Amino acid sequence: MRSLSQAEIARYHGDGYVCLPGFFSADEIEPLRRACLDDPSLGGALMALADSAGNAQEVVPYTELSDDLVGVIPRLERVVAGAEALLGLPCYHWHSKLSMKRPESQGTWDWHQDYAYWYHQGVLRPDMVTIAIAVDQNTLENGCMSVIKRSHKLGRIEHGRKGEASGVDQARLEQALKHLEKVTWQLAPGDAVYFHCNLLHASGPNLSAAPRTIIHCSYNATDNAPFLPGQDVYSYRPIAIMPDNALKDGAWDTVFDNQIFISTDGDSGYGYKVLRASTRADGQAPRQNVSRAL
Ligand SMILES: O=C(O)CCC(=O)C(=O)O
């Protein structure tokens, strides 16, 4: 198993993230890359959320983990062990999502912290971490992610309505950008980055002729499940761990055909406006406010 070194763990705590080039081999990720190219709507599951300017950002979240490739990745031993090493605590799967930018699409992710949303779901402590795994090349031109290094040390910052979307308080963002370093994550398929739930991050439009796809898998400490009602799908569930060689050995069913994705529609009271809901029939019940799904 590929475990994180002490130096990698220290880098995460210092910078708010740790880049792991080649955490997956390109071969392990290739079936997902191929399937996303062949069916960029993921069988209709992909939905479009508004960014602050009203442009579409396409994403599909899920909490339950199938035996499909997209359900196996968040259950892999190296992925879960890495999250636990960084949290210093046992964890469970919060949610995962595919975040896709079509060629020549204008949508951006406005600057935000993930915990800003999860806090409002009743998560008491920011003991949450996400691993972002590049499915295809993530470049400056096609809208790779940017982060503000060490911004996790700022703690949770207020977020509010920003045009059609939601984002971090502008005055604090400006101060963070003035005092801290902005870094871009240019990644090859299989490269991964673990990042802290209070790390400020964003991404730009895809100005290229190629898609940009990344999968985010998020984890919460086992003893930190939401205390507010209505969060049943985010309550603690043990992870059925899969061995690290599961991708290489083909120990998965389809890439995403059997995966149950979260489906939302309408406007959300708190977060992002839904521009286009999923059209896939198997939307996970109960249907959720999208601000609760991000
Ligand atoms: O995929 C991206 O570019 C960023 C997505 C993101 O920030 C999020 O889903 O919270």
Side-chain angles (χ1 to χ4, degrees):
M1 187 185 78
R2 159 77 158 93
S3 43
L4 301 189
S5 67
Q6 285 308 313
E8 287 167 335
I9 295 171
R11 210 172 308 138
Y12 169 85
H13 288 296
D15 295 342
Y17 67 91
V18 58
C19 290
L20 303 170
F23 196 56
F24 290 81
S25 70
D27 286 350
E28 288 180 299
I29 295 299
E30 180 58 17
L32 179 56
R33 193 191 72 81
R34 190 77 252 159
C36 292
L37 270 184
D38 290 348
D39 181 1
S41 79
L42 306 184
L46 205 63
M47 55 186 178
L49 306 179
D51 66 10
S52 54
N55 296 310
Q57 260 310 355
E58 296 191 295
V59 71
V60 63
Y62 52 104
T63 53
E64 296 310 316
L65 297 174
S66 67
D67 288 330
D68 276 0
L69 184 58
V70 295
V72 167
I73 289 175
R75 297 199 270 136
L76 288 176
E77 198 175 355
R78 85 191 96 147
V79 172
V80 178
E84 294 194 329
L86 296 172
L87 292 171
L89 291 166
C91 70
Y92 69 99
H93 178 248
W94 178 257
H95 69 209
S96 291
K97 63 181 166 251
L98 274 154
S99 171
M100 303 173 73
K101 292 178 193 262
R102 291 177 197 240
E104 278 142 29
S105 54
Q106 286 304 313
T108 63
W109 283 98
D110 296 279
W111 287 102
H112 66 280
Q113 298 169 317
D114 290 336
Y115 184 63
Y117 305 101
W118 299 338
Y119 170 89
H120 287 285
Q121 290 176 254
V123 179
L124 196 57
R125 308 189 313 264
D127 282 335
M128 304 183 78
V129 62
T130 294
I131 181 171
I133 306 156
V135 176
D136 51 23
Q137 290 288 343
N138 283 222
T139 65
L140 285 179
E141 203 195 358
N142 74 7
C144 70
M145 290 177 67
S146 301
V147 302
I148 303 181
K149 192 170 172 177
R150 303 179 68 80
S151 56
H152 67 306
K153 304 262 187 197
L154 303 176
R156 182 181 70 88
I157 305 174
E158 286 299 335
H159 285 50
R161 197 79 195 156
K162 200 166 187 188
E164 305 263 32
S166 158
V168 69
D169 176 81
Q170 187 63 24
R172 286 187 185 258
L173 173 63
E174 283 164 19
Q175 289 300 315
L177 286 166
K178 193 162 136 194
H179 295 289
L180 300 171
E181 185 187 352
K182 180 179 148 187
V183 176
T184 52
W185 290 345
Q186 297 189 63
L187 306 171
D191 291 350
V193 190
Y194 281 99
F195 63 101
H196 191 280
C197 61
N198 273 332
L199 189 76
L200 282 164
H201 57 285
S203 63
N206 183 352
L207 305 176
S208 81
R212 193 234 61 174
T213 304
I214 195 164
I215 183 169
H216 297 253
C217 311
S218 302
Y219 300 87
N220 187 18
T222 298
D223 64 351
N224 196 37
F227 63 84
L228 291 176
Q231 299 296 327
D232 294 354
V233 296
Y234 292 99
S235 56
Y236 168 75
R237 299 149 340 264
I239 301 175
I241 299 287
M242 293 290 285
D244 271 339
N245 56 5
L247 300 189
K248 198 160 47 71
D249 292 350
W252 40 274
D253 293 344
T254 67
V255 176
F256 52 66
D257 291 354
N258 305 314
Q259 177 62 50
I260 294 178
F261 293 110
I262 290 174
S263 157
T264 42
D265 52 20
D267 286 353
S268 63
Y270 182 84
Y272 299 76
K273 179 175 178 180
V274 180
L275 295 176
R276 193 192 68 242
S278 155
T279 56
R280 192 155 137 161
D282 62 2
Q284 180 174 318
R287 294 170 77 77
Q288 297 167 53
N289 180 312
V290 72
S291 67
R292 304 291 180 244
L294 294 175

